[in-house]
Amino acid sequence: MGCACGTQRFAWRRWGENGVVFDRRYGDTHTLSGVTASIFEAWLSCGSLAIGDLAGALALDDVQSLPERGALNDALLELQRRGLLPLR
Amino acid sequence: MPDAARLSDLALDEAARLMRAGQLGLQCGPLTLSAKTSLPDVARSVYTLYANHPVEVAPDFSDFHVSVRLPGNLRRFFRAQAHFFVEGEAPFEPLPRVQAPALFEWGLNWVIAAGCHQWINIHAASLERNGRVLILPAPPGSGKSTLCAALALRGWRLLSDELTLLDPHTLMAHALARPINLKNASIELIKAFEPTAVWGQVTYETTRGRVTHLRPPRESVERMRELARPAWVVFPKYVAGAEPMLTPRDKAATFTHFAQNAFNYSVHGERGFDAVGRLVDQCQCYEFEYSQLHDALEVFDWLAEHSDEAQPPH
């Protein structure tokens, strides 16, 4: 799923480290915090579910060697579990 | 009979007669409510609490027709009950007869919350000062209504004790200037705080304990058609012995609270998301702990005089 689909489906607001998203498909509102909020915002901007692309959108260095990789994966899984991101 | 400017311009007997006939149109902010009851304690309560509200006799149009009456069965006599009706329908179960005056107020809360989708209806008190609105959202037991009553009695214009009504396009807040519901120890606290305040009948043994209503200040009623812009969202919390402390609150968490506690957030769909987002953007959001009303008033007065992002006093 590309970025255009994401921006068409979702309305997004962010304050500091946290944000809220409105899912036009289901009429639901979700609160996202911390890494999860950042990953979601990165996906909206880059449209890719690849960790490397998301890390790039987040201006992180080589994600393969980053300790944050686990946290990024967890956040992706959380967003997918909530139906906000497509399954990889 | 000519229309009266205010309910108190009528004699109690005349007001009660109009209510028996269902001809009393009560103006609450932008709403006209036709009130009907043949129960004398309910009529007396309405007369006391809405004394300063404009009334119209047999209005051509009413937003809602509400009534409180006895059931048609044996519950008129044995373990007597009272029903609340809106447009002839009873939206909830009856309450004990002695709770009928309070039932009128609670029923009106429900009618407005569930029926006025032209606004976003947030479960929160709201008051205005210098053209800006303070929103006090909080769960029961937080001291919200106590604080609301104290502020309303000390120069803040009461918009509402229970329902903050926001235009989803302009974000302007509407006023209802309806009575303030207080319960248990808060009643004596506010009676001591303002001995001249006017009260409705006390109702005992409700699910919320002992409750009564405070008549809204006259100026709040006279200015209830004035809209105002929200500027602060403050979540009060009464903590015994606490020093007053105002601390910034996360805006996303504030948004989530509104989304979960607005009676009709989901009805508005994306318009509601956008409006609540803009509301949170434009307001300073705080948590507030307090134990003394006078301390709390000092902090809120400070807030009203300082519009910028200054540090709150400690």
Side-chain angles (χ1 to χ4, degrees):
Chain A
M1 177 183 283
C3 177
C5 295
T7 53
Q8 284 170 14
R9 177 176 162 188
F10 298 111
W12 166 248
R13 278 184 181 267
R14 181 156 192 174
W15 294 279
E17 294 185 350
N18 306 318
V20 291
V21 57
F22 180 77
D23 185 346
R24 296 186 178 103
R25 181 179 294 173
Y26 299 109
D28 292 337
T29 300
H30 301 260
T31 305
L32 303 179
S33 59
V35 178
T36 312
S38 295
I39 285 286
F40 184 77
E41 194 168 49
W43 174 73
L44 283 178
S45 70
C46 77
S48 169
L49 292 174
I51 287 287
D53 294 338
L54 292 168
L58 292 169
L60 294 173
D61 294 330
D62 178 14
V63 77
Q64 298 301 331
S65 59
L66 283 176
E68 291 88 350
R69 185 180 177 89
L72 297 184
N73 265 319
D74 290 347
L76 268 178
L77 290 172
E78 168 68 10
L79 290 165
Q80 287 168 335
R81 187 188 64 75
R82 293 168 73 163
L84 294 172
L85 293 189
L87 298 173
R88 283 179 285 184
Chain B
M1 196 196 89
D3 290 349
R6 293 194 302 267
L7 184 54
S8 60
D9 292 337
L10 301 174
L12 171 59
D13 287 350
E14 176 63 2
R17 186 190 69 75
L18 290 170
M19 280 187 260
R20 280 196 301 276
Q23 293 182 330
L24 188 76
L26 204 54
Q27 194 72 41
C28 287
L31 299 175
T32 300
L33 307 163
S34 276
K36 182 176 184 178
T37 188
S38 58
L39 305 179
D41 52 342
V42 176
R44 195 179 317 114
S45 174
V46 171
Y47 186 76
T48 301
L49 295 173
Y50 292 86
N52 297 316
H53 282 70
V55 290
E56 188 179 354
V57 177
D60 292 334
F61 172 81
S62 292
D63 293 275
F64 299 104
H65 298 80
V66 300
S67 63
V68 175
R69 58 182 193 250
L70 301 181
N73 57 25
L74 288 174
R75 284 279 179 255
R76 296 174 70 87
F77 310 108
F78 303 108
R79 292 166 57 198
Q81 295 177 327
H83 276 285
F84 178 87
F85 289 84
V86 55
E87 311 306 334
E89 301 286 333
F92 29 73
E93 295 296 311
L95 289 179
R97 167 66 184 86
V98 294
Q99 297 181 20
L103 176 61
F104 179 84
E105 289 301 316
W106 297 336
L108 273 188
N109 288 343
W110 184 89
V111 163
I112 297 167
C116 291
H117 299 317
Q118 66 270 47
W119 303 304
I120 294 176
N121 305 330
I122 296 173
H123 184 205
S126 46
L127 304 108
E128 178 264 351
R129 183 87 171 262
N130 299 336
R132 291 173 294 167
V133 173
L134 163 69
I135 298 176
L136 298 171
S142 60
K144 164 182 70 84
S145 290
T146 314
L147 195 51
C148 175
L151 289 165
L153 291 165
R154 289 293 183 274
W156 288 72
R157 177 167 69 96
L158 174 71
L159 304 189
S160 178
D161 164 39
E162 285 285 338
L163 293 167
T164 294
L165 309 178
L166 292 174
D167 183 299
H169 303 289
T170 65
L171 291 187
M172 298 296 274
H174 289 261
L176 293 169
R178 288 183 47 227
I180 299 172
N181 190 180
L182 290 161
K183 55 184 181 293
N184 303 318
S186 294
I187 300 169
E188 280 69 37
L189 190 65
I190 295 299
K191 281 186 174 176
F193 180 79
E194 181 50 71
T196 65
V198 179
W199 298 81
Q201 174 182 318
V202 177
T203 305
Y204 298 87
E205 297 180 358
T206 75
T207 55
R208 305 170 194 189
R210 179 170 51 98
V211 302
T212 187
H213 288 81
L214 174 70
R215 180 197 287 175
R218 179 169 176 162
E219 189 194 349
S220 295
V221 177
E222 289 175 343
R223 295 177 57 199
M224 67 186 177
R225 300 303 293 263
E226 292 179 27
L227 309 186
R229 183 167 299 283
W232 309 281
V233 179
V234 180
F235 290 73
K237 186 179 181 187
Y238 173 83
V239 179
E243 290 293 316
M245 185 174 292
L246 199 59
T247 52
R249 188 176 202 273
D250 178 70
K251 291 207 169 195
T254 302
F255 180 104
T256 303
H257 179 93
F258 283 147
Q260 292 173 343
N261 289 275
F263 293 98
N264 58 356
Y265 171 81
S266 60
V267 171
H268 286 276
E270 187 173 358
R271 184 173 59 172
F273 177 86
D274 177 62
V276 174
R278 287 186 291 123
L279 172 70
V280 170
D281 271 338
Q282 80 175 32
C283 289
Q284 297 173 32
C285 303
Y286 297 103
E287 311 263 6
F288 179 59
E289 284 190 0
Y290 75 104
S291 60
Q292 301 292 324
L293 277 181
H294 289 94
D295 290 343
L297 290 175
E298 200 172 295
V299 170
F300 283 97
D301 286 347
W302 177 89
L303 203 58
E305 301 306 321
H306 297 77
S307 60
D308 300 326
E309 295 276 351
Q311 289 295 310
H314 293 291

